[in-house]
Amino acid sequence: MLNQYKNLANAEAHVRTTGPEIWRQTEGKVTHFVAGLGTCGTITGTGRYLKQRNPGVKVIAVHPTEGHDIPGVRSIRQLQQTELFLPEEYDGLVEVSDEDAFDMCLRLNREESVIAGPSSAMALVGALRVVEDDPDAVVVVIFPDNAFKYASTFERHFPQVRSAPSHAAPAAEADPKAELFDSLVANSRNAHNTCEVDDLRAALAGSQPPLVLDVRTPEVYAKQHVAGCVNLPLAEIAPRQGELPDLEHPIVTVCNRGNMSITGMLLLQSLGYKNVRSLNGGTIAWAEQGLPTESASPVPASDADGGATRC
Ligand SMILES: Cc1ncc(COP(=O)(O)O)c(C=O)c1O
């Protein structure tokens, strides 16, 4: 029974992963942890872990107003639906309006070139409101998602976006909100951590061929996979990290069409791998171009000829 609003495994996942990742990356210097509230798995689990490491860490929970239009997060009334909302474990609760959150989306995009979604911007507004401007503060704010899934929400809040053809107005009069949309589109076309079939083919022929890591289940992998790749299902990446090459080694993650492999790529990056990309179009695009595939019984990465680096 998955029910993310009741299942303690939700918060527990953050105790096991998000919390240690933040502790490691800040070298234990984190002073504040700030997150938006949806199921509350993130805030409760990560907060518990960080407080266990250092009881002085301040855990700040940020939520939208009643009747809000921010996907993924819940107002105080909506939060009654989640059993993981435990305000007694947090050091502060901050309410942020839609207007402040969407304005921050625009600022993040224009000033920092960060394409964050509205719940990320909401959390940042909350952080800036409560954390003092202290040079010793190390504040970690969770950005759960980028903006790409929320096109219709952006259209509601930035109505000019659709009616502003890029050639219509001279640059000096360009609408900043249309610029936001342009940069969203440009970024989605140039994602630097994905690659195309041609890129992978060239990389495999190059001097430092990447490890091609198929992150699907062994059953699906067995049906058809990129020739020579290694199978390491998504759920086993962290526990079997020891079978992977060093953190500098290039890795390309692959799945059916390039969705699950993005999660694999992000997971590997969170484990410290510096050169990971996800194959757009996945095994299907690879096969459609007539490139070699295999169908065989799954080979555990550790047993593969030459270990996990054989590609
Ligand atoms: C976009 C977005 N922001 C924030 C959250 C909140 O995270 P949590 O559910 O861990 O409280 C979610 C949860 O799915 C989300 O999808």
Side-chain angles (χ1 to χ4, degrees):
M1 198 269 289
L2 287 174
N3 192 348
Q4 59 176 344
Y5 294 99
K6 285 198 171 142
N7 196 332
L8 293 177
N10 176 352
E12 190 52 35
H14 293 281
V15 173
R16 282 192 289 110
T17 62
T18 320
E21 184 181 336
I22 291 171
W23 188 258
R24 197 171 58 239
Q25 291 187 2
T26 62
E27 296 168 341
K29 297 194 184 87
V30 55
T31 58
H32 298 75
F33 173 71
V34 187
L37 303 183
T39 65
C40 298
T42 308
I43 190 97
T44 300
T46 312
R48 277 182 187 168
Y49 177 86
L50 294 176
K51 279 183 178 287
Q52 195 183 308
R53 298 304 300 254
N54 173 8
V57 173
K58 296 275 177 273
V59 174
I60 313 292
V62 189
H63 63 87
T65 53
E66 228 42 79
H68 69 94
D69 189 27
I70 304 181
V73 288
R74 305 182 88 78
S75 66
I76 289 291
R77 186 181 54 80
Q78 294 172 316
L79 282 166
Q80 304 316 314
Q81 290 174 359
T82 173
E83 293 182 10
L84 305 174
F85 175 52
L86 301 170
E88 63 280 9
E89 295 191 19
Y90 321 142
D91 299 287
L93 267 180
V94 189
E95 183 175 270
V96 171
S97 68
D98 282 12
E99 194 186 354
D100 286 353
F102 283 93
D103 280 354
M104 183 57 86
C105 270
L106 197 60
R107 280 192 60 195
L108 275 168
N109 185 247
R110 299 181 71 198
E111 297 172 27
E112 308 290 344
S113 301
V114 172
I115 320 284
S119 79
S120 310
M122 180 198 77
L124 181 59
V125 172
L128 292 172
R129 216 174 269 166
V130 298
V131 179
E132 284 173 26
D133 190 7
D134 169 1
D136 293 326
V138 176
V139 186
V140 174
V141 184
I142 295 287
F143 279 21
D145 209 350
N146 60 37
F148 301 121
K149 276 195 219 98
Y150 310 107
S152 52
T153 314
F154 277 104
E155 280 166 9
R156 269 198 298 283
H157 290 268
F158 304 125
Q160 304 87 325
V161 158
R162 265 197 172 154
S163 55
S166 53
H167 57 272
E173 294 169 32
D175 180 342
K177 291 175 179 173
E179 279 174 33
L180 166 71
F181 195 68
D182 284 347
S183 48
L184 290 179
V185 172
N187 199 61
S188 68
R189 291 200 176 123
N190 297 306
H192 39 265
N193 38 23
T194 62
C195 68
E196 303 301 326
V197 166
D198 280 349
D199 301 324
L200 175 57
R201 193 173 44 169
L204 287 171
S207 59
Q208 199 189 13
L211 163 66
V212 182
L213 205 61
D214 192 317
V215 300
R216 299 171 299 170
T217 60
E219 296 71 31
V220 189
Y221 167 88
K223 283 187 193 141
Q224 186 185 34
H225 52 259
V226 171
C229 73
V230 168
N231 183 218
L232 189 53
L234 206 51
E236 292 177 33
I237 290 179
R240 288 171 57 191
Q241 191 187 347
E243 297 170 29
L244 292 170
D246 63 78
L247 299 179
E248 311 288 333
H249 192 92
I251 299 179
V252 174
T253 55
V254 183
C255 62
N256 278 351
R257 289 194 176 275
N259 293 328
M260 192 198 281
S261 56
I262 289 186
T263 307
M265 176 264 291
L266 293 171
L267 181 55
L268 287 163
Q269 285 181 345
S270 78
L271 292 170
Y273 290 88
K274 300 195 176 62
N275 192 353
V276 196
R277 289 181 298 167
S278 164
L279 180 66
N280 285 333
T283 308
I284 292 172
W286 178 268
E288 272 172 6
Q289 294 206 19
L291 294 163
T293 60
E294 291 165 348
S295 42
S297 0
V299 183
S302 54
D303 299 347
D305 185 19
T309 57
R310 73 190 175 115
C311 292

